[in-house]
Amino acid sequence: SVSVTGRRLQRGRSASTRGHETKETLNMDYGSHSVLEQLSENRIFTADDVLAFARVTGDGNPLHADASFASSERFSAPVVHGMLYASMFGAIVGTRFPGAVYVSQTLNFRKPVYVGDSVTATLELRRSAGSGRLLDFDTRAINQDGDVVLDGEARVLLPRTMRLRPST
């Protein structure tokens, strides 16, 4: 089994943690830890999330908070900052592999995310290199309608004490 924020999961099962749903599929292990073929988290973005992100980053673009401005452009409502929902990937990695370094990420924003949308971010293990410490993932975020809103690739460096090796 796999430990996720204090809850035990069985293969292919999911659990709700702090308002977010996390789903993991067991594939490989390193040391006494499990490396997963696929990691996912679901989150619903609120107006408070958007405002807090704008405050922290200084991004006061009215596309994110002003409905009339957003609709005068190309959106039907204010949009969630792309970097806010893109940050779900790094959060998944940091939570699952404490001490890991998020080396790189490519981001292709496909569709807007609106306040109230449910977004599921997924990292899928593509390969490991560097004696099992360097992991390459395909990344994808989908909304509640199943539309891909973001995709790309990520590279993660595991801590020195961790090495990827096939599970037995």
Side-chain angles (χ1 to χ4, degrees):
S1 63
V2 178
S3 178
V4 178
T5 57
R7 296 185 185 206
R8 303 300 280 178
L9 298 181
Q10 301 210 349
R11 180 177 221 146
R13 286 272 180 108
S14 63
S16 180
T17 58
R18 282 185 267 149
H20 308 291
E21 184 176 301
T22 304
K23 184 175 182 181
E24 301 185 342
T25 306
L26 188 63
N27 183 41
M28 309 183 86
D29 83 35
Y30 60 92
S32 62
H33 299 76
S34 296
V35 169
L36 303 171
E37 178 180 84
Q38 190 174 58
L39 301 164
S40 294
E41 181 174 317
N42 177 268
R43 180 173 181 169
I44 296 173
F45 288 95
T46 67
D48 288 342
D49 294 331
V50 171
L51 292 174
F53 190 82
R55 274 194 303 275
V56 168
T57 63
D59 183 349
N61 187 333
L63 284 175
H64 305 298
D66 184 331
S68 33
F69 182 85
S71 63
S72 74
E73 291 303 310
R74 54 183 267 192
F75 303 104
S76 59
V79 295
V80 175
H81 297 80
M83 295 309 293
L84 176 54
Y85 58 93
S87 70
M88 292 174 70
F89 300 120
I92 294 168
V93 168
T95 300
R96 186 65 189 99
F97 308 112
V101 176
Y102 206 80
V103 177
S104 65
Q105 172 75 58
T106 61
L107 301 170
N108 303 302
F109 295 95
R110 304 294 182 186
K111 290 190 171 195
V113 170
Y114 299 99
V115 171
D117 280 358
S118 174
V119 176
T120 301
T122 301
L123 292 103
E124 188 169 340
L125 184 63
R126 189 170 11 108
R127 73 180 189 101
S128 69
S131 300
R133 288 187 54 218
L134 193 61
L135 307 180
D136 289 331
F137 292 95
D138 290 321
T139 58
R140 184 180 67 252
I142 61 169
N143 65 15
Q144 66 279 354
D145 299 321
D147 297 328
V148 175
V149 295
L150 171 67
D151 61 21
E153 298 175 349
R155 178 166 276 183
V156 173
L157 181 63
L158 297 176
R160 286 189 174 114
T161 58
M162 299 177 188
R163 299 275 189 270
L164 180 68
R165 64 175 181 244
S167 60
T168 55

